[in-house]
Amino acid sequence: MTADERTTGGKVSQDAAMPEVEIPDSVRRHRISGVFSSQAVVRVGTGTTSRKVIQKAYWFAEEAEPDEDGRVMVMVRPLNKNNVPSGQAEAVAKADFLERYNPELEYYQKEVYPRMKELDTTLKRAEAQREQGALYSAQFEYEAALNVDEENVRANFGLGLTYMERGDASKAGDIFKRVVSLEAAFAPEHKHLFNEFGINLRKSKLLDQAVEYYERALQLTDSDENLHYNIARAYFERGDRDQCLAHLHRALELNPRFEEARKFLAYVEKEGGGRVLDM
């Protein structure tokens, strides 16, 4: 079980004659992080062979920061058959979590942590190979990672980018279909990969996919001016001037100081959707 401490910056006076001292992080509260199990009673079989059995499931849990109202949630993701966290996380209120889930320290140390570490090492090798231009080696490493966790966001983005850099639009399109189905792909922690993937879809002339990709992202958040700017670029190159203008106006509504969007808007209004900008 790992623990991640959170600093609140509070102070305490240990003695009336002593000055106030900062409370060390380790003395503040520990945040929940690690592997936990849950149990459920289910009925198997039918008729006279029917019986109740207890099923045990394993989860990777991480406590989130309190929200604006001070509520604390624990993000819970199931472990897959390879004992790595996979799939969409579910938010569980901390009080409910403490009641329903049990810590599994030994299982985490022996089964889960080694697999998570191995997966991370594989992904780092893949990313290093792609940065060096060794695209076939990168493909091999990304595919090895996906064999462990087929929903891994870094592996899916990385493999898609590798195919695009190789000019293999067909295979990149297949990966795109998987990525747009993963809500976690559009989470803030993946913003760098997310942006790179979308831009490369457009530059690879996968314009329909680029539009669908950004529309999917906008379903999750409509208040990101960069998303509206990027989808405007894709619509422009696809020849859809009206949609391009609509999203540029929305980007500037969200951020009136967005200079790139303002310049692009002026260009589109002046040119009428003629020549494609190299931006």
Side-chain angles (χ1 to χ4, degrees):
M1 197 72 54
T2 62
D4 180 20
E5 291 93 36
R6 175 172 171 267
T7 302
T8 60
K11 294 184 179 182
V12 64
S13 179
Q14 293 181 316
D15 186 276
M18 296 289 290
E20 288 189 335
V21 295
E22 294 285 347
I23 299 177
D25 290 352
S26 58
V27 179
R28 306 308 299 181
R29 71 177 181 83
H30 293 272
R31 292 174 58 191
I32 294 170
S33 178
V35 173
F36 292 74
S37 66
S38 63
Q39 293 185 350
V41 178
V42 297
R43 184 175 293 276
V44 297
T46 58
T48 57
T49 63
S50 176
R51 69 187 189 281
K52 292 181 178 179
V53 297
I54 297 176
Q55 285 188 344
K56 190 174 186 179
Y58 291 94
W59 312 82
F60 188 81
E62 290 185 297
E63 183 177 334
E65 291 290 337
D67 63 17
E68 295 177 353
D69 299 320
R71 291 174 299 190
V72 179
M73 308 297 287
V74 180
M75 306 307 296
V76 178
R77 297 175 67 200
L79 300 185
N80 67 11
K81 63 182 181 180
N82 295 309
N83 281 321
V84 297
S86 182
Q88 185 63 29
E90 174 189 357
V92 180
K94 186 175 180 179
D96 293 337
F97 177 85
L98 293 173
E99 182 178 343
R100 292 163 44 195
Y101 294 81
N102 299 305
E104 297 285 351
L105 177 59
E106 185 176 359
Y107 194 77
Y108 171 75
Q109 292 176 333
K110 290 186 176 181
E111 301 293 339
V112 179
Y113 177 72
R115 296 295 282 161
M116 290 176 65
K117 186 175 181 181
E118 180 183 349
L119 177 59
D120 185 63
T121 299
T122 301
L123 286 167
K124 286 178 178 176
R125 279 200 306 267
E127 289 160 353
Q129 295 284 2
R130 188 171 74 84
E131 288 177 4
Q132 295 166 13
L135 300 180
Y136 286 97
S137 295
Q139 176 189 339
F140 176 83
E141 297 291 357
Y142 281 126
E143 288 174 343
L146 289 170
N147 285 333
V148 176
D149 177 15
E150 64 181 8
E151 296 187 27
N152 186 276
V153 173
R154 285 169 62 191
N156 277 291
F157 271 137
L159 185 57
L161 289 167
T162 300
Y163 284 139
M164 282 186 270
E165 288 169 19
R166 279 174 37 190
D168 195 332
S170 176
K171 289 184 178 179
D174 290 339
I175 297 297
F176 156 79
K177 294 175 184 176
R178 185 186 301 165
V179 167
V180 294
S181 70
L182 300 175
E183 187 170 325
F186 304 96
E189 61 263 33
H190 300 302
K191 190 169 185 178
H192 172 71
L193 284 169
F194 162 81
N195 286 330
E196 186 179 1
F197 191 79
I199 291 169
N200 275 274
L201 281 172
R202 177 175 60 80
K203 289 185 175 180
S204 297
K205 301 305 177 185
L206 297 170
L207 300 178
D208 291 341
Q209 290 92 331
V211 167
E212 184 180 345
Y213 178 74
Y214 286 122
E215 289 286 9
R216 168 67 172 139
L218 287 170
Q219 290 175 9
L220 302 174
T221 173
D222 185 50
S223 59
D224 186 327
E225 67 270 24
N226 294 297
L227 277 178
H228 286 282
Y229 175 79
N230 285 327
I231 196 172
R233 292 297 315 277
Y235 272 123
F236 178 78
E237 294 192 20
R238 204 172 71 165
D240 193 333
R241 183 172 180 270
D242 290 342
Q243 284 288 353
C244 171
L245 289 171
H247 283 283
L248 285 174
H249 283 296
R250 177 59 176 153
L252 288 166
E253 178 184 328
L254 291 167
N255 180 6
R257 297 182 179 180
F258 194 168
E259 193 60 29
E260 286 185 347
R262 189 170 298 282
K263 289 179 179 178
F264 188 27
L265 176 62
Y267 174 85
V268 175
E269 290 178 335
K270 178 181 178 181
E271 296 295 322
R275 181 173 59 85
V276 175
L277 279 171
D278 183 19
M279 296 172 66

